Structures are given as C-alpha cells and as structure tokens.
Amino acid sequence: MTLQLAPPRKVPGRRTAPSRRMARFDLKGVPYLLVSPYYLLFAVFGVFPLGYTLWVSLHDWELAGDTKFTGLANYGELITDESFWNAVVNTLGMFVVATVPQIVLALLLANALNKRLRGRLLLRLGVLLPLVTSVVAVAVVFSQLYSRDYGLFNWILSWFGVDPITWQNEKWSSWIAISTMIDWRWTGYNAIILLAAMQTIPRDLYEAAAIDGATARTQFWRITVPMLRPTIVFVVFISTIGGLTLFAEPVMFEGNPMMTGGTTGQYQTVAMFIVKSAFRDFEMGYAAAAAWLLFVLILLGTMINYWFTRRIGGAK
Amino acid sequence: MKNHKRFVVTGAAMTALLAIAACSGGGGGTTPSGSKSSAAAEPVTINVHTFGGGENFGYDEAVKKWNAEHPNIQIKYTNLTDRFEDVYLPQLLQRLQAGAGAGDVVGIDEGAMGLMAARPQFFTDLGQYGLESRKADFPAAKWEAGLNADGKLFALGTDMGGMTMCYRKDLFKKAGLPTDREEVGKLWPDWNAFLETGKKFEAAKTGAKFMDGPNTIYNVILFQEAPKNGNLSYFDKNNQLVIESNPAVKTSFDWVTTFSKAGLTAKLQAWSPAWDKAIKGGGFATMGCPSWMLGVIEGKAGPSNKGNWDVAAVPGGTGNWGGSWLAVPKQTKHPKEAAEVVNYLTGKEGHIAAFKEAGAFPSSLPAQQDPEVANLKNAYFNDAPTGKIFSESVKNLQPVFFGEKHAQVKTAVEKVIEGMDQGAVKYDEAWSKFVAAGVKAAG
C-alpha cells in the first residue's frame, strides 16, 4: 500500500498501466478464476443436465427414435401412472424402514463410543468399516444371505420351523432385506458424525447435571440430543437424499438389471423406475419427467424433515 | 503474479500438446509391406460385438481362421454381455443414437429385430455390397426379418433356435424314469404327457424340481403355437397388440399356469444367479432347449457336469425360439470390410464353425445340409446327435412376426408369469394382470 503512495520513479509510463491492470486482475479476478473449475464442472455436469432433462421431459422422446414436443403430457401421464406411485410408495417406505432405526441406532452407538472404553479407537474405526466396502459388494453378499434356497437367514429361520421365505416376493420382506443393507453400511458413518459433534459438547454441562442428580439417561435426552440438533439435521438430510435416490441395493437384490424391482414391483424405487423407463422401455421423455418429479419429491422430503428435526429437543 | 502468468502459459502449452497428441492418435502406424487388396491399404480392424451366455455366438474359431487368412482385415470379436434385452439392447441404441461406440458389426436378437427394422437411419444397406445375392441361402423367414422399413437389407441371419428338451440324466435316474434320449422323448409326445411325467418325477422326491421356472417353457410353447395362429405372438403385422386375442399367447399362458399349479417348477427366474446355480447344482431336471441353450447350459453347468445333461425331443412338435442376426451400423468407418465380415460369418463356413463351438444351429440352408452339421454330435450332452435332432425340429418351420415393441412386451408379461409362479400374483388374477402389463408396455 505504501509503495503505491510513492510517486513512480523512472518507470516508463507504458509499463505502468498494464502491470497495474494485472495487479487489479490479480486481486479481483483471480479468486473467481480459482473457484471457477468447480462451477464450470457443476455447470457442465449439474446445471446443463438438469435443464436438458427438463427439455427432454416435455417431449415424447424415444431413445434412438422419434421425438415430438408434447408439453406437459408426460407429467400428466405420470401422476396417473399407478406404477410410478407404487415406486414412490416403495421409496418412501424403504426410506422410513431404513432411516428411522438407522438414526436411532447411530445415536446410541455414538453415545456408547463417547464413553471411556477399552480399545476405543479400534471400536470407532470398526463402525466405519462397512462404509469402506462397495455398495454392490454389500448388496451381492446380502442378496445371497437372503436367497431362498441356500440363504443364511432362511437357514436360521428354519431352526424355528419357519418355511423358506422368498424375500423378493412380498413388499414387507423385500423392504426389510434392502433396509438392512442400507443400515449395515450407513449406521456407522452417521454414528461417527454424531460422535464428532458429541465431543464438542462442553463437559461441564454434564458435570453440572450430574451434581444436580440427573441420571445418564436424562443427560442423554436433555443435553446430548438437543445439543446435537444441527448435526442430526445434517444427518437426516443426507439420509433423506440417499434414501430417496435408493438404487444399487434393490437392483442387486433383484439379481438382474431388469429394473422392475420384483415381479410386481414390490421394491422398485423411483430411481429404478426412471432407469427402466429410459433404458428398458426407451421412453426418455417419460423418464426425464419422472426424474424431475423425484427432484421435487426430494425437495419436499428434505423440507418436511427439516421441520421435524427442528422440533427435536423442544426447539424454540 | 509472475507465477500465475507462468501457470497460464503452461496450461496453454499443455492444452496444445494434448491436442497434438489427440490428433496423432488417429493416424495409426504404417502398413507392413505386401498388402495385396486395393480396398484396404492398412490393416483394418473390424469390431464384432455380440451378446449371450455361455459360448454365446461361438465365433472364436471362425474369427481365428479369418484373421489368419486376412492380414488386412482383422476381426476383433467381443461378447459384451450375456443379457440382451436389459443390457445389450439399451447400450446399442444409445451408441447408435450417439453415432459412436457401436461395433462395426453388431449382433441383434430376434426380439429386437422389429425395433431395428423400424430404424433404417442407423444401418448400412448391405445390398450395396452385393449381399442381396445371399437370399437363396436362407429360409424366407430369416431373410425377410433382415429387411428394414425402407425395404433395404440391413441384417443377415446367424443361428436359429429350433426346439428340444434338455434333461438331467442323473436326476431322471434317481426318479426312476428312463434316461435314454429316445425313451425320454417317448415319455412326452405332447404337453399333457409332459405334465404327467412331471408329476411322476415330483412324486419320486429327488429333492430337485421338474422344471426351472415358468418362462423357458412358456417361450417354447408360445413359439410352437404362434405358427398355428397366423405366425403372430404379441403383435400383428400392423404392429397392433394382439396379446389378448391371439390364442397362441393364451394357450402358452394356460400351460404354464397348469405346470406352476402342479408344483413342477423350481420357481426360478431365468437368467438370474440362482438359476445359474441350479443349472450347475441340479436344482431342476428339464429345460426347454433351443439350440443356443445348449451353449448356455454347457457354459453355466461347467465341465464337472459333462454327461449329466442330455437332449431329447420336445413335446408338441417343431418350433423355433430365438436366433440372431448380424448388422453393420452406419457409423462404421469401414462399411465395405464390415460387410465382408458379415458375409463370412453368416456364410456356410461361419455357421458351421458356430454350430460346432456353441451349438448354435445354422439358419443357413447350405450349412444345414452340410454333413458336418447333419452328423454332428455334442460331446457335452453325451454325444447327442444334435445335428439330426435340430434339423428335425426346424423342418417346415414358419416365421414368427415380431412387433417393434416385442422386447418390452415380452419382458413385462414374463414378469407377471414369474410373479404368478412365485406367489406374488394370484392365479385367478394372473391373466388380467398379464394382459394389462402387455398393454402398458406396448404403450
């Protein structure tokens, strides 16, 4: 700054202006330049596909075939399509069956890991391990565990005189099977995030509560959970988005890439519905419209969850 | 600031370099001396893409031979997947639409021939390379399916299915049934007899089921019935859905329902991992077997099961299930050479090589009449005279017409049958759901 105040000496006028301009650019322009790769990529791989999908959704657009502008006809057809709503119900159903126990379990797990335990680090790493395995690997192994003829679960159930269950056959059984895959993989991840947040809660709060005679359980519900609220909101959001775009697990559970989600769509999710429309029935326009409705669905789901989680622990 | 400038310059230089590298990539090397053909100055690589489980198209030997004899046109043969409708076809359509990525020669299953014929813009007219002359080599049905909406020849036939019944010898023995293929064939002159044999088999409690699942037999019967009903399955020749009115569909549906109700099926979904496991492990005793299915069984059951599987005549007479074609997408850079390769692979020699390797029965008439085919035995299936068996099964064969959306309707209705067999769809609701699924998929 001080240098600039000094009158320029012996500097040819021609060179001053460009280098000043350079300096200004360095100050004002470079930051934008430096952050631009992300936005450029986002524009190419995020905004453009979003817009193009909207454009496609307004057409009767057949893969490698004819395209015809039809306005909102796809959306109209979609909201009266039973199989679309079946997919929505499945997605929401599996989301609830998977996420509710998952968050509760993660919370309890995090609380346990927050205690003074022997081999604490090992245990903390341990709960993260499932996350390292690939989704497909998890789904393949679980699908075998749930297989009708040689599956582990049916074998265990047979000790109690239960006949082999074809897990893919009913909504409830397929939902449970898929939810366990999701929970196995994600509970530990959420637990670690909650654990990290737990460790930022000042210890004196607990000490004060303990002096006042609060039990461990009261401390958990009255101090830990309310203090964790922002983190729980985050965890719930992530789970909502993950849950509503559920895809790999049910596809692998089906055992082939037909995308029908069972013989009568018992566990076909919206994401599978979209892929089926686009790449099995070759109706790109219809699939694009479904993709946009899924987007709206996620937006709504996230908003509802936000509203719910805000009320945790008696928020004002 | 200086650094930043340098960075920009370096970046620009890098980009330029990359561009140069990219350009030089396409140039290719120089030709080895002694190229005789004027058509190709440098060796041309023709990518042949196919699909299918087990031994699939069976072109390994045929390609090896061609490559040895044609230094200037080298075939690169890739089998992309064992799943046609839900993997190979969508991928092929995307690549055709994108104008890049498809093979120079692509295999197409019969179920999608209607769809491809309706898209002449994507395929090379093979007539301009003189392949019209091949017409006399094929049965009319196989030839005509290769003509597209513009009336141009776009695909030539490879194999055809024919129809037989594969059975597990070891399981039949366990159940006290005859094991000799002649006697087994006599067990079931028609489907009613097949049902009765199945009940006997189940009564013997071998631990295995009589048949795999509903859909293989459903297809077998459908393709036997279609020729009796104007050669139609799901669509008529104006591409109108006739699923509800075509007796062929209803008859095959009813038979499968009967088998399922009688508890003969292992409730397996064809082409699933559990199905594979059961083929290998002896989970069921019979399976409808078009010729290409022999290759599938051999591939999935593996060498340890050699001799356990055998082939007998199918109940209910002749028929054809499946078969494929080869086409040349318009996006190829070497249409002429690709057409030559198609000509070779669909010629007598290519057909015979494929039959030997994968059991894919030739649709080519000269190949069918060749003693090499007619006298061929299949070592894996106890030296069954497959050449003779399949020739019998395709005698007087009638073509079955496929609509543009055949593949979609097929997938949708077979799901309902599967659901019925596994209990997710009630038997008395199955037919109406079956029809509804078909109507929806035909959209």
Side-chain angles (χ1 to χ4, degrees), chain A residues 64 83 148 169 256 280, chain B residues 86 97 119 266 269 422 440:
Chain A
S83 53
R148 183 194 62 188
N169 219 1
N256 60 46
R280 301 295 175 267
Chain B
D86 43 20
Q97 168 97 74
R119 287 161 171 73
Q269 179 189 18
Q422 293 173 2
K440 190 152 182 251

Side-chain angles (χ1 to χ4, degrees), chain A residues 133-260:
Chain A
T133 49
S134 105
V135 193
V136 173
V138 172
V140 166
V141 171
F142 268 84
S143 298
Q144 290 187 353
L145 296 181
Y146 281 111
S147 89
R148 183 194 62 188
D149 295 331
Y150 314 102
L152 178 75
F153 291 116
N154 276 345
W155 181 58
I156 293 173
L157 286 174
S158 71
W159 299 345
F160 306 99
V162 181
D163 282 335
I165 297 170
T166 309
W167 291 87
Q168 277 89 341
N169 219 1
E170 300 287 337
K171 268 195 188 321
W172 65 267
S173 57
S174 56
W175 288 10
I176 288 175
I178 291 166
S179 299
T180 50
M181 297 181 205
I182 303 168
D183 287 352
W184 189 79
R185 195 170 139 80
W186 291 103
T187 308
Y189 170 78
N190 287 331
I192 291 293
I193 291 185
L194 291 170
L195 175 64
M198 262 177 207
Q199 292 181 335
T200 65
I201 301 173
R203 293 231 70 89
D204 29 342
L205 284 177
Y206 292 102
E207 279 161 24
I211 289 166
D212 288 344
T215 60
R217 176 175 298 207
T218 319
Q219 287 176 22
F220 177 73
W221 286 110
R222 292 294 173 85
I223 300 174
T224 314
V225 172
M227 293 292 277
L228 282 180
R229 216 182 64 216
T231 317
I232 292 176
V233 170
F234 169 77
V235 165
V236 169
F237 276 16
I238 295 293
S239 306
T240 309
I241 294 170
L244 294 184
T245 54
L246 184 64
F247 183 70
E249 288 91 346
V251 170
M252 297 311 297
F253 187 54
E254 187 167 24
N256 60 46
M258 297 261 232
M259 301 296 156
T260 50

